[in-house]
Amino acid sequence: MSQQPEEEFEDDELELFERHRILVDKGQSQVRIDKFLTEKIAHVTRNKVQQAIENDTVLVNGKPVKSNYKIKPLDDIQVFMDKPRRDTEVIPEDIPLDIVFEDKSLLIVNKPPGMVVHPAQGNWNGTLANALVYHFQHLPEMKGNEGRPGLVHRIDKDTSGLLVIAKSEEAMTPLAAQFFHHTIDRTYLALVWGELEGDSGTIRGNVGRSAKDRKVMDVFPDGSQGKHAVTHWKVIKRLRYVTLIQCNLETGRTHQIRAHMKYIGHPLFNDAMYGGDKIRKGTQFAKYKAFVQNCFDLMPRQALHAKSLGFIHPITKEKLYFEAILPEDFSAVLGRWENYVNFE
């Protein structure tokens, strides 16, 4: 049996349902579907499964079924469940914010690496959202995503760079629509392992959650799973065993750049989740190994920075564009590699 869980929020599309897809094994015995799903889906009760069935949001081979339906080998089961209710209270915390731009409708914030965007399991405080509710009153929240004041998109904890925050209801919906329709211009800088062929390229391949590790996203080039994802890249600087590239997102899937770059054999430098925290290119000399480890120590995270944002102001309709310089850790590692290339 294979299962494709998709319950995590996408970076740019805040969703209201948990989604699961289960392809039943050839040798599976016939059992009631409510019992089967209760055993196969983590942290779900039989009552919740039965409620989803009553709501016609459990489909077998594309059609709703009843709780007493007995699954058959090779059945294709899709499940859509309401997201579990969570504590939506966000405690204000006096955390400094690097505000690049502000008016009555929105903020542009430069998020430091290491800061989680919103509270979630294991990270209930110290987040960007905790800082926002301290510094700003009455930030809007999208329906179904309470506890995420002002947020219409996010970036990973260890990714640095720019985020747009809505300060009013009037601004939130148009901003969210621009992300949904992929009309936001977003540019990232990434340091990746290896020397890419050519000076630019495009990666196309659905991105979806790995069946082996729920925290990791895989690429499905045949489109059988995941969601449509397109990343455009171009080389900024070649540094012998690593390359600084610019990435422009046509879509905004969770871990899109990280998964796409691993897929083409060039994982992000020091990206532990996607295999970039090991030496992927270079020599076996102890001096080189020590140099790379020193770089890892300087930047103990994936080398990814959300450099720029361009969009239409939701109220004035003016075209806006913002940039954020590389944070100190990323800049320091680039400097080390430049010195290595020039003098080693």
Side-chain angles (χ1 to χ4, degrees):
M1 179 198 69
S2 63
Q3 179 177 352
Q4 180 198 351
E6 299 180 75
E7 57 265 51
E8 180 108 357
F9 290 112
E10 296 298 338
D11 286 358
D12 60 352
E13 300 168 14
L14 300 181
E15 299 180 356
L16 306 181
F17 299 98
E18 290 183 3
R19 301 182 183 187
H20 302 267
R21 185 183 180 196
I22 299 173
L23 302 177
V24 180
D25 284 342
K26 291 181 180 179
Q28 173 66 47
S29 60
Q30 294 190 14
V31 297
R32 283 175 56 112
I33 191 168
D34 54 353
K35 182 176 185 295
F36 176 81
L37 292 178
T38 303
E39 293 175 350
K40 296 301 181 184
I41 300 176
H43 311 299
V44 70
T45 65
R46 195 161 182 173
N47 284 341
K48 185 172 181 180
V49 169
Q50 290 172 341
Q51 184 62 55
I53 291 172
E54 290 179 11
N55 293 337
D56 290 338
T57 57
V58 174
L59 308 179
V60 178
N61 304 321
K63 297 180 180 180
V65 295
K66 301 298 183 182
S67 293
N68 61 359
Y69 173 83
K70 291 189 176 181
I71 63 166
K72 299 177 180 61
L74 302 182
D75 272 349
D76 184 344
I77 304 173
Q78 296 184 68
V79 184
F80 301 82
M81 294 183 182
D82 290 340
K83 284 189 173 291
R85 295 182 62 83
R86 60 177 184 270
D87 184 357
T88 59
E89 182 182 10
V90 180
I91 305 301
E93 294 183 56
D94 187 4
I95 302 170
L97 290 173
D98 181 2
I99 298 175
V100 176
F101 173 84
E102 179 183 1
D103 65 10
K104 294 181 179 180
S105 303
L106 56 87
L107 297 167
I108 303 296
V109 175
N110 185 17
K111 186 187 82 67
M115 175 182 274
V116 175
V117 171
H118 57 73
Q121 189 66 40
N123 293 286
W124 295 114
N125 50 44
T127 74
L128 176 63
N130 294 110
L132 288 171
V133 296
Y134 178 89
H135 294 286
F136 301 95
Q137 305 297 315
H138 311 301
L139 291 175
E141 296 179 337
M142 295 183 71
K143 184 178 179 182
N145 288 292
E146 293 80 6
R148 294 169 182 181
L151 298 176
V152 293
H153 70 128
R154 69 176 191 178
I155 55 179
D156 296 333
K157 172 185 176 181
D158 288 328
T159 299
S160 56
L162 297 178
L163 286 160
V164 58
I165 311 296
K167 291 176 64 179
S168 68
E169 295 284 355
E170 294 78 12
M172 174 161 272
T173 299
L175 282 172
Q178 291 185 62
F179 278 95
F180 181 79
H181 293 296
H182 310 306
T183 57
I184 299 280
D185 295 324
R186 286 178 287 175
T187 299
Y188 290 75
L189 289 179
L191 187 66
V192 302
W193 279 107
E195 186 170 353
L196 285 81
E197 294 185 10
D199 292 328
S200 63
T202 297
I203 308 168
R204 302 178 188 276
N206 282 21
V207 172
R209 220 158 266 291
S210 169
K212 297 180 180 178
D213 184 347
R214 288 171 43 79
K215 295 180 180 180
V216 175
M217 307 301 283
D218 282 342
V219 176
F220 302 92
D222 62 358
S224 62
Q225 299 182 54
K227 293 188 176 184
H228 175 66
V230 180
T231 302
H232 306 286
W233 60 268
K234 71 175 182 180
V235 171
I236 302 300
K237 185 176 292 187
R238 298 183 185 274
L239 296 166
R240 194 175 299 178
Y241 301 125
V242 296
T243 305
L244 181 66
I245 64 171
Q246 174 179 303
C247 294
N248 290 85
L249 297 183
E250 196 170 300
T251 54
R253 309 308 180 194
T254 299
H255 297 182
Q256 178 173 320
I257 293 173
R258 300 166 68 186
H260 269 174
M261 295 314 299
K262 177 188 177 183
Y263 171 68
I264 66 169
H266 298 280
L268 271 59
F269 188 77
N270 209 15
D271 188 347
M273 190 173 289
Y274 290 90
D277 61 338
K278 301 175 181 62
I279 294 177
R280 302 295 295 260
K281 295 290 181 180
T283 72
Q284 293 299 313
F285 296 125
K287 187 176 180 181
Y288 176 72
K289 292 179 180 179
F291 163 74
V292 173
Q293 186 58 53
N294 180 263
C295 289
F296 285 164
D297 293 341
L298 275 175
M299 184 171 55
R301 65 177 182 104
Q302 71 265 9
L304 186 62
H305 175 66
K307 175 189 175 185
S308 70
L309 270 178
F311 58 94
I312 302 298
H313 192 288
I315 306 302
T316 68
K317 308 306 178 185
E318 176 187 2
K319 176 70 175 179
L320 301 178
Y321 179 80
F322 303 95
E323 286 194 358
I325 63 171
L326 281 175
E328 185 176 341
D329 62 346
F330 202 145
S331 181
V333 166
L334 271 184
R336 293 294 176 95
W337 275 102
E338 288 167 349
N339 288 336
Y340 182 86
V341 168
N342 291 330
F343 302 111
E344 291 295 325

